[in-house]
Amino acid sequence: MEKFFINGQVPLNGEVKISGAKNAAVAIIPAVILSDGVCRIENIPNINDVTLMAHILEQMGACVKMINKSTFEIDARNVHSHVASFNFVRNMRASCYLLGALLGRFHKASVALPGGCDFGVRPIDQHLKGFSALGAANSVESGLVNVTAKKLVGDTVYMDVVSVGATINIILAAVKAEGTTVIENAAKEPHIVDLANFLNSMGAEISGAGTDSIKIKGVDHLNGTTYSIIPDQIEAGTYMVAAAATGGDVTVKNVIPKHLEAITAKLQEIGIDVQEFDESIRVCSDGTFNKCNVKTMPHPGFPTDMQPQITALLSMANGTSIVNENVWDNRFRYTDELSRFGSKISVDGKIAVIEGVPELVGTSVRAMDLRAGAAMIIAGLAAYGTTVIEDINHIERGYENIVEKLTGLGADIKKVYEPEEEPVLSSIIS
Ligand code: EPU
């Protein structure tokens, strides 16, 4: 089993370059299924979720060429199947984007219910509501979601909840539908805008992405394109919080500061010095932190995908902070792990009360999911002594070269392979 070993309390210093956005890449790669040409996609993060998505497309008949470590050329014209079985998609939530992309291309799609991070029920009713507004019938049988339409015709869809995934899926299904689709109460995340820009670069007619009303005028064809993915907002935010937590001075490069405003504002409230430049952000911290309250919200609110990381930081604040998780029902499971560092957190449903302690102490913990894993790294970097993190596969799903990037900032972190311990026979007998 691979683990991270961290010797903490080394302030991070220097520069770190942010990779392309995971959540944009995992939407843009399946969107290539809708193209009648070859798509060259640049600034792709080299992470397991992306490799998996590219592999799923290959299995379905696409030709995926890796031009260099961050550029793929994908020709999906030979995709022959509208089915993505459980074996393909079980480990990744974003595989549900195959539903919209395959429906848009073949007018039918069968995709297994997706896996991914587990933080409560992850329904897809809003995705299905959107497909049905476009004229597609749906059924769920033996864990397979089937959607089928004689033809797709644009309509207005009013979403009951703001959903990133449903907004993306409806865009994918609508982009080649007849007529105009309008998504009201749409999600506004930067990766939605990135997907719309990617599709528009192929000839789609999407307007309003980034607002809560997105208009998609259906087109007959989408050409090939060359497109560069936006920087990862959450990876950038994670390094910003790590710099703050260790009392460091880090310039986070290759970012769009506008995408980071909610995180920047919260760090400033905590007492961290954050300076914005055109494509970088500098975070300087003296290692003291004010308490503050955080409510996660859809964009442009404070992102839920930064909630575990900011909670790790607030565990060391002067005073008591309250973190309110407004997006997911069950995203505080990791706080038990964080408590192993000596942090004092009590959780009641979607609210965590964090009583700051002067110092965290290194320990052994598990990465419960991707962002929870990032929080364990931040706590380990800030803590006195050694921290060992297990189940790091969750972290590697979404953070490119995290050990190399942190080491470049001076952190003492290593990935170590340790064989699983055999159970001791005497303890089994007794
Ligand atoms: N929801 C519904 N019905 C639906 C869809 C969603 O009720 O049909 C609810 C969910 O239960 C949740 C809320 O709406 O309470 C938001 O869910 P959303 O659909 O926006 O989430 P998602 O598309 O499944 C994406 C990201 C997540 C991120 C959320 C929220 C990807 C691949 N995943 O998930 O990212 O937490 O949006 O911003 O884009 C991560 O990167 O670590 C991650 C988990």
Side-chain angles (χ1 to χ4, degrees):
M1 186 199 293
E2 288 182 319
K3 301 177 183 178
F4 287 153
F5 279 73
I6 302 173
N7 289 313
Q9 293 197 335
V10 181
L12 299 185
N13 271 294
E15 294 182 351
V16 61
K17 185 167 177 262
I18 296 308
S19 303
K22 166 182 96 74
N23 289 345
V26 296
I28 284 174
I29 294 171
V32 176
I33 289 175
L34 293 158
S35 173
D36 304 318
V38 178
C39 296
R40 187 184 170 102
I41 308 169
E42 298 166 351
N43 204 30
I44 291 192
N46 191 2
I47 51 174
N48 293 348
D49 266 14
V50 160
T51 313
L52 194 58
M53 186 55 97
H55 186 59
I56 293 172
L57 254 69
E58 274 182 327
Q59 300 270 316
M60 301 180 84
C63 172
V64 181
K65 271 196 219 149
M66 201 167 172
I67 306 296
N68 59 47
K69 92 173 176 36
S70 60
T71 305
F72 286 2
E73 217 169 67
I74 308 179
D75 182 350
R77 285 173 292 189
N78 286 334
V79 167
H80 44 69
S81 170
H82 69 281
V83 182
S85 68
F86 186 65
N87 284 344
F88 287 0
V89 308
R90 63 177 151 193
N91 289 323
M92 196 168 55
R93 178 74 190 168
S95 53
C96 72
Y97 298 149
L98 293 166
L99 273 175
L102 292 168
L103 180 64
R105 168 148 166 193
F106 296 114
H107 291 182
K108 58 185 176 180
S110 293
V111 177
L113 281 168
C117 289
D118 175 14
F119 19 76
V121 187
R122 297 188 73 169
I124 58 163
D125 56 298
Q126 298 304 303
H127 305 231
L128 299 179
K129 177 177 172 176
F131 297 151
S132 127
L134 298 176
N138 68 71
S139 64
V140 182
E141 285 161 40
S142 315
L144 208 59
V145 185
N146 306 300
V147 278
T148 170
K150 277 211 180 71
K151 60 177 184 172
L152 295 165
V153 182
D155 200 348
T156 295
V157 187
Y158 193 94
M159 309 231 304
D160 301 327
V161 293
V162 179
S163 161
V164 171
T167 303
I168 288 176
N169 245 337
I170 300 166
I171 292 175
L172 292 173
V175 73
K176 286 171 114 178
E178 278 178 27
T180 300
T181 303
V182 179
I183 310 174
E184 296 289 4
N185 199 24
K188 297 181 275 205
E189 269 63 8
H191 35 289
I192 306 244
V193 180
D194 210 32
L195 172 72
N197 287 342
F198 169 68
L199 290 166
N200 284 343
S201 77
M202 296 199 281
E205 292 193 25
I206 304 171
S207 55
T211 74
D212 56 11
S213 179
I214 301 179
K215 194 187 268 186
I216 307 134
K217 235 168 115 186
V219 295
D220 291 337
H221 298 288
L222 292 176
N223 309 315
T225 186
T226 295
Y227 190 81
S228 184
I229 289 179
I230 51 165
D232 196 304
Q233 170 204 24
I234 305 300
E235 188 197 17
T238 301
Y239 284 101
M240 288 166 72
V241 174
T246 58
D249 179 352
V250 170
T251 300
V252 183
K253 296 181 75 175
N254 187 36
V255 297
I256 299 174
K258 176 91 191 138
H259 293 171
L260 297 164
E261 275 176 349
I263 302 162
T264 298
K266 224 12 104 178
L267 286 178
Q268 286 170 334
E269 210 178 314
I270 292 171
I272 311 296
D273 179 21
V274 185
Q275 298 161 45
E276 284 184 10
F277 302 95
D278 287 348
E279 292 182 0
S280 62
I281 282 199
R282 182 173 173 194
V283 177
C284 300
S285 155
D286 63 6
T288 56
F289 316 113
N290 306 328
K291 67 177 177 148
C292 91
N293 297 338
V294 178
K295 281 190 182 154
T296 67
M297 299 280 209
H299 192 78
F302 189 88
T304 173
D305 294 340
M306 284 299 301
Q307 182 259 96
Q309 300 90 314
I310 204 89
T311 300
L313 178 63
L314 292 173
S315 331
M316 298 175 290
N318 296 316
T320 301
S321 308
I322 297 175
V323 176
N324 203 316
E325 172 57 53
N326 278 314
V327 178
W328 294 110
D329 286 341
N330 194 7
R331 204 173 190 171
F332 281 124
R333 291 185 317 151
Y334 70 90
T335 53
D336 286 344
E337 297 297 300
L338 208 46
S339 299
R340 295 177 198 273
F341 289 95
S343 60
K344 290 193 181 159
I345 306 178
S346 56
V347 174
D348 184 5
K350 293 165 88 169
I351 294 176
V353 178
I354 304 142
E355 209 184 304
V357 295
E359 185 176 69
L360 301 181
V361 179
T363 180
S364 289
V365 286
R366 287 176 51 214
M368 311 277 292
D369 61 56
L370 171 58
R371 309 304 174 188
M376 297 306 129
I377 291 186
I378 289 167
L381 291 169
Y384 169 79
T386 303
T387 292
V388 181
I389 306 179
E390 294 184 9
D391 294 342
I392 59 170
N393 56 308
H394 289 296
I395 302 172
E396 293 183 328
R397 274 186 41 220
Y399 288 92
E400 177 174 329
N401 293 340
I402 191 159
V403 171
E404 290 77 357
K405 288 188 184 186
L406 285 171
T407 308
L409 294 172
D412 183 353
I413 175 169
K414 277 196 290 285
K415 180 157 117 178
V416 174
Y417 175 78
E418 280 198 342
E420 302 266 353
E421 275 179 34
E422 293 291 331
V424 181
L425 196 55
S426 59
S427 69
I428 295 172
I429 294 165
S430 63

